[in-house]
Amino acid sequence: MVYATGDGMGAKRLRVGMVGGGRDAFIGAVHRMALRLDDRIELVAGALSSDPERAKLSAADLGIDPDRAYSSYQEMADAESSRADGIEAVIIVTPNHLHAPVARAFLKAGIDVICDKPLSATLAEAEELAQLADRSGLVFAVTLNNTGYAMVREARAMVASGALGKIRIVRAEYIQDWLTLPIDADGQKQAEWRTDPARAGRSACLADIGVHAYSLAQFVSGMVPEQIAADLATFVPGRRLDDNAHVLMRYAGGARGVLIASQVSPGNLNRLSLKIYGEKAGLEWFAHEPEVLYFTPFGEPTRTLVRGGPGVGAAAAAVSRMPAEHPEGYVEGFANLYRDAAALIAARRAGQTPDAALVASVPNVHDGLKGMRFIEAAVDSHEAGGTWIRLAA
């Protein structure tokens, strides 16, 4: 099967398998919507649940051949790597504690990896995965999906062009309210594993949403903090991990940053935002209105830049599908990441060197490692009373 390309030529669809993401799994369904959008990727195999019967039923729901519906990820890695028509990449959408062992199995089988965030449950696992991925030469993409929005790409290009001048302040927030009540203690599936240290790691709120805000700030600003100081809190009695985090950040060159992540802030269903201020101008972007970027040169009125509209450059246009005010949102941003990851994998398999801009657009295993270092340092800082912790380079 082929998909159309811009030059009128055709290319084979990338064959992928999925680990996790079976029936009733929110993020697995989102990944499948995103990978289908450009018709460049085909889901042909899966180990969709740790329960063999549920895995089989979930595969049937998706039209996956019963012969390629596996009861374990290791079985899938072994079988698919030996098939002539085996999968070319695996998508990992399991709870955090399985990210590393699943990724390790497929890297060792010679199969490219697309892994949900965070990279792993522990920093040691993340370090190991980065080394293994580097040695393998395979593509390892991490779905820090908010980097795929068109106006986020535009913001990054504007910062890189010097439109803001020297960066002074970075403010990233991701605020929700869905864990305000102890639904994890009541057995709500999505909440229960995210607040379990054995499956989530050392942090709940930072590992679930804080790492998105952190990666977004890094992607747009082009800067990684040198030091952080964190104050984490667990407001719901009996909860085993944090549900709120305030983190201060210090950058080389004197810039300062603040990151706030909360899942217990009533009235906020899913509010992600990024604000960057430089010596000449400021930028503000809000995920609940992703088509818009606010640009304010000092002393001038704020300019509202709209995807596809006047004044918006090539970075946004390259990942836009629709004309201005034909809304694009969450799934399209996710799909941009999948389209770029598929192009990287296709280039690797063809022995081609991908364009540098394409490489930079896809968060990779080292970006995932930076996120894990941030989470680890934040927890260490909090446990030491909010002391400043230097991030590993």
Side-chain angles (χ1 to χ4, degrees):
M1 304 179 78
V2 300
Y3 62 81
T5 57
D7 57 7
M9 302 296 288
K12 292 181 180 179
R13 289 192 180 98
L14 183 75
R15 300 185 303 275
V16 301
M18 180 172 282
V19 178
R23 283 185 172 181
D24 303 322
F26 160 68
I27 202 64
V30 172
H31 280 255
R32 290 190 292 271
M33 283 187 274
L35 68 86
R36 292 185 188 116
L37 197 57
D38 292 301
D39 202 25
R40 299 186 179 189
I41 305 174
E42 185 177 12
L43 180 65
V44 298
L48 300 169
S49 173
S50 57
D51 179 324
E53 184 62 23
R54 190 178 184 84
K56 185 185 302 182
L57 293 172
S58 298
D61 291 344
L62 300 172
I64 293 173
D65 188 317
D67 290 340
R68 302 179 81 172
Y70 300 99
S71 58
S72 75
Y73 68 83
Q74 190 63 61
E75 179 190 9
M76 178 172 153
D78 293 341
E80 291 294 322
S81 62
S82 65
R83 293 179 64 119
D85 64 346
I87 62 170
E88 297 161 293
V90 66
I91 298 165
I92 304 170
V93 286
T94 64
N96 303 352
H97 71 295
L98 290 173
H99 289 182
V102 176
R104 188 183 306 117
F106 283 89
L107 287 173
K108 289 181 177 180
I111 295 170
D112 295 296
V113 173
I114 300 172
C115 184
D116 202 18
K117 59 78 208 166
L119 182 57
S120 58
T122 71
L123 179 57
E125 289 175 328
E127 299 275 7
E128 179 196 359
L129 280 183
Q131 293 173 12
L132 182 58
D134 286 346
R135 289 196 302 269
S136 73
L138 296 167
V139 172
F140 195 124
V142 179
T143 52
L144 293 159
N145 59 287
N146 296 293
T147 62
Y149 284 105
M151 297 310 285
V152 166
R153 301 282 180 94
E154 182 71 11
R156 184 190 200 198
M158 292 177 70
V159 170
S161 75
L164 277 64
K166 183 179 179 181
I167 301 302
R168 292 174 171 173
I169 301 164
V170 178
R171 296 179 181 169
E173 296 186 1
Y174 204 153
I175 305 174
Q176 301 174 332
D177 67 2
W178 73 291
L179 291 179
T180 297
L181 299 178
I183 59 173
D184 42 338
D186 294 336
Q188 205 269 9
K189 180 181 177 182
Q190 299 300 325
E192 191 267 334
W193 77 257
R194 281 175 169 83
T195 58
D196 176 7
R199 289 176 285 174
R202 295 180 69 193
S203 168
C205 187
L206 284 176
D208 190 28
I209 60 173
V211 72
H212 273 306
Y214 180 75
S215 72
L216 181 64
Q218 174 189 316
F219 185 81
V220 174
S221 71
M223 304 188 306
V224 177
E226 286 191 330
Q227 295 177 293
I228 66 170
D231 179 25
L232 312 185
T234 306
F235 284 109
V236 175
R239 183 165 287 158
R240 291 175 286 174
L241 291 173
D242 55 283
D243 49 30
N244 194 88
H246 297 165
V247 185
L248 297 177
M249 301 181 288
R250 291 175 177 169
Y251 295 89
R256 294 293 189 266
V258 179
L259 185 147
I260 298 174
S262 178
Q263 293 176 307
V264 290
S265 295
N268 294 276
L269 298 178
N270 193 61
R271 291 297 176 107
L272 170 65
S273 65
L274 178 66
K275 302 174 183 180
I276 300 181
Y277 305 109
E279 59 188 0
K280 296 195 301 185
L283 281 176
E284 298 184 354
W285 178 83
F286 303 89
H288 61 278
E289 48 176 357
E291 302 266 84
V292 175
L293 181 64
Y294 297 100
F295 174 56
T296 309
F298 177 67
E300 299 181 19
T302 296
R303 302 172 189 175
T304 302
L305 304 177
V306 179
R307 184 194 59 78
V312 176
V319 289
S320 294
R321 294 170 176 79
M322 299 292 170
E325 296 194 346
H326 292 66
E328 294 184 356
Y330 182 70
V331 173
E332 287 86 354
F334 229 121
N336 287 334
L337 204 60
Y338 264 100
R339 184 170 63 186
D340 290 345
L344 280 182
I345 293 168
R348 185 198 69 77
R349 295 182 69 85
Q352 300 170 349
T353 301
D355 182 78
L358 176 65
V359 174
S361 72
V362 180
N364 60 32
V365 69
H366 291 284
D367 296 307
L369 176 56
K370 289 173 186 175
M372 287 302 302
R373 287 173 174 163
F374 167 74
I375 293 168
E376 189 85 0
V379 176
D380 286 346
S381 171
H382 170 72
E383 291 181 347
T387 189
W388 286 95
I389 298 288
R390 183 167 292 276
L391 290 179

